[in-house]
Amino acid sequence: MKWSEFFVTGEPLIYAADVAIVLTIIGIVFVLTYFKKWKWLWDEWLTTVDHKKIGIMYIICAVLMLFRGGVDALLMRAQLTAPNMKFLDAQHYNEIFTTHGTIMILFMAMPFLIGLMNIVVPLQIGARDVAYPYLNALSFWLFFFGALLFNISFVIGGSPDAGWTAYFPLASNEFSPGVGNNYYAVALQISGIGTLMTGINFLVTILKMRAPGMTLMRMPMFTWTVLITCVIIIFAFPVFTVALALMTFDRLFGTQFFTMANGGMSMLWANLFWIWGHPEVYIVILPSFGIFSEIVSTFARKRLFGYKAMIGSIVGIAFLSFIVWVHHFFTMGAGPAVNSFFSITTMAIAIPTGVKVFNWLFTLRKGKIRFTTAMLWSLAFIPNFVIGGVTGVMLAMAAADYQYHNSYFLIGHFHYVLIAGTVFACFAGVHYWYPKMFGHLLNERLGKWAFWLFMIGFNICFFPMYFLGLMGMTRRMYTYAAGLGWTPLNVVATIGAVLMGIGFIVFCYNIYYSARYGERDMTGDPWDGRTLEWATASPPAHYNFPVVPEVTDLDAYWAMKKNGNGYEVKEEQLEPIHMPSNSGRPFLISIAFFIAGFGLVFKWFTLAIIAAIFIILGLILRSFDDDDGYYISVDEIKRTERLARKGA
Amino acid sequence: MGVNNHHETFPWKHIVGFIFSLLLTFAALWVALSSGLSAGAIIGIIVILAVIQASLQLFMFMHMTESDSGKIQTINMAYSFFIAVVVVAGSVWTMSFVL
Ligand code: HEM
Ligand SMILES: [Cu+2]
């Protein structure tokens, strides 16, 4: 292969990106060396198994990916603003919508939520870490290097260009030569392994590590939604693993699973993709529901209305989410029986979802509502998400879907559920738990600015898309003729997208501003919270709770505050705390995965095999690893706790 | 925390399970590549081998019989079975319309 094929060439935008990447790397290396931070980076972050730090790293990566995906989005909106634009050509546009979709769902939404899960769940259930801390680090680094591998396709080899759904036969070698779709297959596989392990890890954590007294029916709602999400992950991801493996075989080794010739079946890819894909959209919405539930109940100062109905409906949604997938390809024309069946199951999902909406509304009813930034995001979620849900039910009618399918109406639908659901939840959750993560609050004034800009921009951007869809504009078209009457609404949509971009910038500025001037959280409980994460210091000590709390009620910490002085620790109660040791192996194994993946992408099999040997070596070393962790002495706990109380 | 309970004994179960899994996998490979049977027979045989291997792994690796909460195991197995049937039967049903 020639170097000119290895690096993507000929595009001014790409050259600019090359320069930016090189400068950023030089900058990072320089800063780390100048401030002598390499050891700190290795000891505190790269080898950590602490769920709070892993959560923070997940969120940092997710915000970076939100930026990357957002730039993709703005480029697409720029191209579509006016008819016959020459800003992007067809190929470039294809690549951008593909990376936008893949990155936003798999490398932004999911990691963002998994990051919040990591930080919050062990604290909410009164645990000191997750069940398998080492595995947790491995999950994170696999996600990280999977995302990195996917992102470098942009400058090395060329991006995938067959859509985030990578439908065959388009994604086959025949129609997509080049390495772009190899990146898709391999990078998603690597990060998918990480996700699957996260699912197992948190399932065990929640089932086995709850504080004494916390029965399943006293579990906070966010933890409940994470539990059910884990079940969905465990059952849905293996299907994707297999589908991606078959895709890899087709693309690298010439098998014919999804090709058009030799008995291959292209639609089988779509089928397998959506068996995973529909549960996947619930993987990113259920934890969001959990986040909103926590925030609504805290800032309405009321116990969550209909706790049991909420649990019933998430279990129902999880169950239904596996039997609706065909609604993504009604137009394949699988016959009236199939389409009717999946049409009905799809519409049925609206029932448990509706139950949840009413539960939030009743929680608000007669509450003493405090309009914090986190609460604003949550309140805005309800009506916006309902718009997405209602249009979803419209799409669910198979006959009508022949009209809506793959039009901008569909684009409107899933952005209303994914942005108003998942993205709003991520912002809400970050504002709500920020003091737990960093010990200071995000500035409320800037937070509200970001909220209004983003929320209004979102509606200006995506509401017109429903009408564009009804007017006949189809998704993934890179340009359109003048005189179709689509121009005004497209201009409006682009204005909205710019507003959302400004909102995001304000959010990022807020992180910087609050780090410098933000209000410190001395109490550990800035919002008068109800669940256990607010019982401990902000940020919590490494071991989370000096003494494992006793739970007597659903709103465990609220009950402690009402029946006494909250969570009090007497020094006599302290005992040595057992903690897991750090390990650099997850990081190193994941680098091996990255190199092996890179080798597969370019069919450099020797490289891939050598890296694979290192992966196996890492697994073997782990099997013979006798490190059982270490104990934190009572003296050290006392010292830490006194310092925390003094607010140092 | 992720502390392993140390079993002093050698993990025989795992080794045996591992070897049998390998054997079954290679058997499936042989049947598919060089047995020369008809396509229908090949599919039938590898499905049977797969089911045997899945059950083997459940007992040898997954501690099926060691749990203290039989109820969770039952729900878990029933749900897994349900999903497997949905995925397989659902795919066959839907894809039967593709020529
Ligand atoms: C009331 C609940 C919902 C119903 C009835 C529903 C229904 C549908 C239907 C029928 C389609 C396919 C339309 C077509 O391709 O023509 C669709 C697409 C989609 N939905 Fe939903 N949906 C619901 C909720 C959600 C949620 C909660 C999410 C994610 C958070 C979501 C994300 C998506 C995505 C990403 C697509 C399009 C994927 C693609 O083709 O690229 N939906 N929905
Ligand atoms: Cu769906």
Side-chain angles (χ1 to χ4, degrees):
Chain A
M1 174 177 283
K2 289 193 290 287
W3 285 110
S4 60
E5 282 169 28
F6 185 70
F7 289 110
V8 178
T9 49
E11 280 278 344
L13 275 172
I14 305 265
Y15 289 135
D18 288 339
V19 173
I21 291 171
V22 171
L23 286 180
T24 313
I25 294 176
I26 295 176
I28 292 172
V29 171
F30 176 76
V31 168
L32 286 172
T33 313
Y34 187 79
F35 292 102
K36 301 201 171 60
K37 288 287 187 191
W38 284 104
K39 192 168 157 40
W40 165 83
L41 183 70
W42 178 259
D43 289 345
E44 299 286 322
W45 297 96
L46 303 188
T47 60
T48 188
V49 293
D50 181 347
H51 68 96
K52 302 178 286 295
K53 286 185 175 166
I54 290 177
I56 288 172
M57 291 193 288
Y58 263 117
I59 293 177
I60 292 172
C61 294
V63 172
L64 288 175
M65 287 294 101
L66 180 56
F67 174 73
R68 156 87 211 256
V71 171
D72 284 347
L74 288 173
L75 291 175
M76 288 189 287
R77 279 317 318 163
Q79 167 66 19
L80 290 180
T81 311
N84 299 317
M85 284 280 276
K86 296 279 183 303
F87 177 55
L88 302 173
D89 60 29
Q91 174 59 20
H92 204 170
Y93 191 85
N94 290 350
E95 292 175 10
I96 290 181
F97 72 65
T98 303
T99 53
H100 167 78
T102 316
I103 286 178
M104 284 301 199
I105 299 230
L106 287 137
F107 299 133
M108 190 287 288
M110 250 201 324
F112 212 130
L113 293 169
I114 291 179
L116 290 171
M117 248 146 99
N118 258 288
I119 290 160
V120 177
V121 167
L123 292 171
Q124 265 195 345
I125 62 174
R128 293 205 163 114
D129 207 322
V130 293
Y132 310 116
Y134 177 97
L135 197 65
N136 200 22
L138 188 57
S139 289
F140 169 73
W141 289 111
L142 285 177
F143 146 70
F144 178 88
F145 283 107
L148 191 65
L149 187 63
F150 189 83
N151 274 278
I152 60 167
S153 69
F154 173 46
V155 289
I156 299 180
S159 300
D161 57 359
W164 84 283
T165 47
Y167 272 12
F168 277 81
L170 178 60
S172 68
N173 279 333
E174 193 181 352
F175 298 102
S176 297
V179 295
N181 278 286
N182 298 353
Y183 272 113
Y184 176 96
V186 176
L188 297 196
Q189 189 71 285
I190 292 175
S191 65
I193 300 171
T195 309
L196 186 54
M197 295 192 310
T198 300
I200 295 171
N201 208 341
F202 278 82
L203 183 85
V204 179
T205 306
I206 295 172
L207 288 181
K208 294 285 184 190
M209 297 185 48
R210 298 189 307 272
M214 182 177 282
T215 56
L216 281 179
M217 294 316 266
R218 280 184 195 154
M219 239 161 50
M221 188 45 71
F222 178 60
T223 302
W224 253 111
T225 57
V226 172
L227 177 71
I228 300 299
T229 305
C230 289
V231 175
I232 305 185
I233 289 179
I234 291 170
F235 285 106
F237 262 79
V239 181
F240 197 41
T241 306
V242 170
L244 285 173
L246 298 181
M247 171 190 255
T248 312
F249 290 162
D250 267 15
R251 292 194 54 89
L252 298 185
F253 308 120
T255 55
Q256 312 272 338
F257 291 108
F258 303 129
T259 54
M260 308 255 277
N262 302 326
M265 198 185 249
S266 327
M267 275 315 282
L268 186 60
W269 163 265
N271 182 68
L272 292 176
F273 182 90
W274 287 115
I275 290 178
W276 160 80
H278 188 86
E280 166 67 14
V281 304
Y282 281 90
I283 291 170
V284 296
I285 201 66
L286 286 184
S288 311
F289 287 170
I291 294 171
F292 293 128
S293 301
E294 299 292 338
I295 293 175
V296 164
S297 134
T298 301
F299 294 114
R301 289 180 137 266
K302 277 177 67 189
R303 184 184 279 258
L304 191 64
F305 183 90
Y307 175 75
K308 284 190 186 148
M310 284 287 214
I311 294 170
S313 44
I314 48 177
V315 173
I317 290 176
F319 176 79
L320 285 173
S321 74
F322 278 95
I323 49 174
V324 298
W325 76 92
V326 174
H327 67 218
H328 291 277
F329 48 97
F330 281 144
T331 51
M332 183 185 88
V338 175
N339 275 6
S340 312
F341 175 85
F342 286 97
S343 195
I344 291 167
T345 51
T346 304
M347 285 188 245
I349 283 206
I351 299 169
T353 315
V355 169
K356 296 184 73 76
V357 169
F358 282 107
N359 279 333
W360 288 310
L361 293 177
F362 281 119
T363 309
L364 290 168
R365 185 165 173 266
K366 294 193 176 162
K368 292 192 197 65
I369 297 176
R370 281 174 293 164
F371 292 94
T372 57
T373 310
M375 187 62 163
L376 287 181
W377 285 110
S378 311
L379 292 175
F381 148 76
I382 299 175
N384 284 303
F385 183 82
V386 167
I387 298 176
V390 169
T391 50
V393 178
M394 293 169 71
L395 291 165
M397 291 179 270
D401 187 54
Y402 274 70
Q403 203 61 33
Y404 305 132
H405 181 57
N406 279 355
S407 73
Y408 263 78
F409 191 87
L410 167 73
I411 306 288
H413 157 68
F414 71 73
H415 285 90
Y416 262 85
V417 279
L418 280 167
I419 296 183
T422 306
V423 178
F424 282 19
C426 292
F427 283 129
V430 161
H431 280 86
Y432 184 56
W433 284 305
Y434 205 80
K436 257 312 129 192
M437 289 151 62
F438 296 107
H440 61 266
L441 283 75
L442 280 174
N443 181 282
E444 281 287 307
R445 224 164 68 91
L446 285 171
K448 286 177 183 166
W449 267 101
F451 163 75
W452 286 109
L453 283 165
F454 195 93
M455 196 274 284
I456 294 174
F458 160 69
N459 277 286
I460 296 177
C461 183
F462 289 99
F463 204 70
M465 293 193 186
Y466 287 124
F467 298 101
L468 282 170
L470 297 177
M471 289 155 87
M473 183 164 165
T474 54
R475 75 190 295 192
R476 294 173 177 171
M477 56 185 355
Y478 88 104
T479 191
Y480 52 91
L484 290 164
W486 301 347
T487 315
L489 287 179
N490 271 306
V491 173
V492 172
T494 303
I495 295 173
V498 171
L499 283 180
M500 293 169 81
I502 299 175
F504 177 73
I505 293 173
V506 175
F507 168 76
C508 292
Y509 175 68
N510 194 2
I511 292 177
Y512 163 78
Y513 179 89
S514 306
R516 294 199 62 166
Y517 312 109
E519 185 189 329
R520 295 287 306 270
D521 170 24
M522 306 305 232
T523 58
D525 181 22
W527 314 118
D528 200 5
R530 313 175 73 82
T531 38
L532 280 181
E533 72 268 33
W534 306 111
T536 181
S538 284
H542 179 36
Y543 45 77
N544 292 354
F545 298 93
V547 173
V548 173
E550 285 274 344
V551 175
T552 54
D553 188 69
L554 164 59
D555 290 328
Y557 184 46
W558 190 256
M560 286 179 192
K561 288 194 276 192
K562 292 289 121 96
N563 307 332
N565 297 327
Y567 169 71
E568 276 187 317
V569 178
K570 300 199 184 62
E571 293 203 336
E572 310 84 75
Q573 291 174 289
L574 293 177
E575 280 170 27
I577 295 177
H578 181 235
M579 295 302 290
S581 319
N582 284 359
S583 170
R585 220 180 292 123
F587 179 70
L588 298 174
I589 291 182
S590 306
I591 291 185
F593 264 99
F594 175 81
I595 297 172
F598 194 77
L600 282 182
V601 167
F602 285 92
K603 297 200 196 176
W604 296 342
F605 294 120
T606 330
L607 180 70
I609 290 171
I610 294 173
I613 291 173
F614 277 95
I615 298 174
I616 294 170
L617 193 71
L619 298 179
I620 292 176
L621 285 176
R622 170 63 177 170
S623 306
F624 291 98
D625 187 351
D626 275 331
D627 186 345
D628 277 349
Y630 63 97
Y631 281 89
I632 306 181
S633 69
V634 172
D635 280 343
E636 197 185 330
I637 305 169
K638 277 186 193 159
R639 247 178 292 133
T640 317
E641 290 301 307
R642 285 187 196 136
L643 273 178
R645 219 156 311 143
K646 267 198 285 170
Chain B
M1 239 118 299
V3 195
N4 316 316
N5 310 319
H6 276 288
H7 303 289
E8 293 309 325
T9 51
F10 193 73
W12 280 116
K13 249 180 138 175
H14 296 80
I15 303 279
V16 173
F18 182 58
I19 291 172
F20 270 102
S21 300
L22 285 180
L23 285 178
L24 287 164
T25 305
F26 281 112
L29 198 65
W30 180 82
V31 170
L33 293 184
S34 26
S35 68
L37 295 169
S38 71
I42 291 180
I43 291 178
I45 294 175
I46 58 181
V47 166
I48 293 171
L49 289 176
V51 172
I52 296 177
Q53 181 164 169
S55 344
L56 183 88
Q57 296 198 357
L58 280 175
F59 286 101
M60 298 305 233
F61 302 156
M62 311 295 268
H63 311 278
M64 269 294 284
T65 44
E66 291 171 26
S67 172
D68 37 318
S69 53
K71 199 170 139 203
I72 289 193
Q73 291 288 24
T74 319
I75 298 178
N76 191 7
M77 289 313 296
Y79 193 60
S80 314
F81 191 72
F82 168 74
I83 298 285
V85 169
V86 165
V87 169
V88 175
S91 299
V92 170
W93 185 34
T94 311
M95 288 298 115
S96 66
F97 292 85
V98 183
L99 295 178

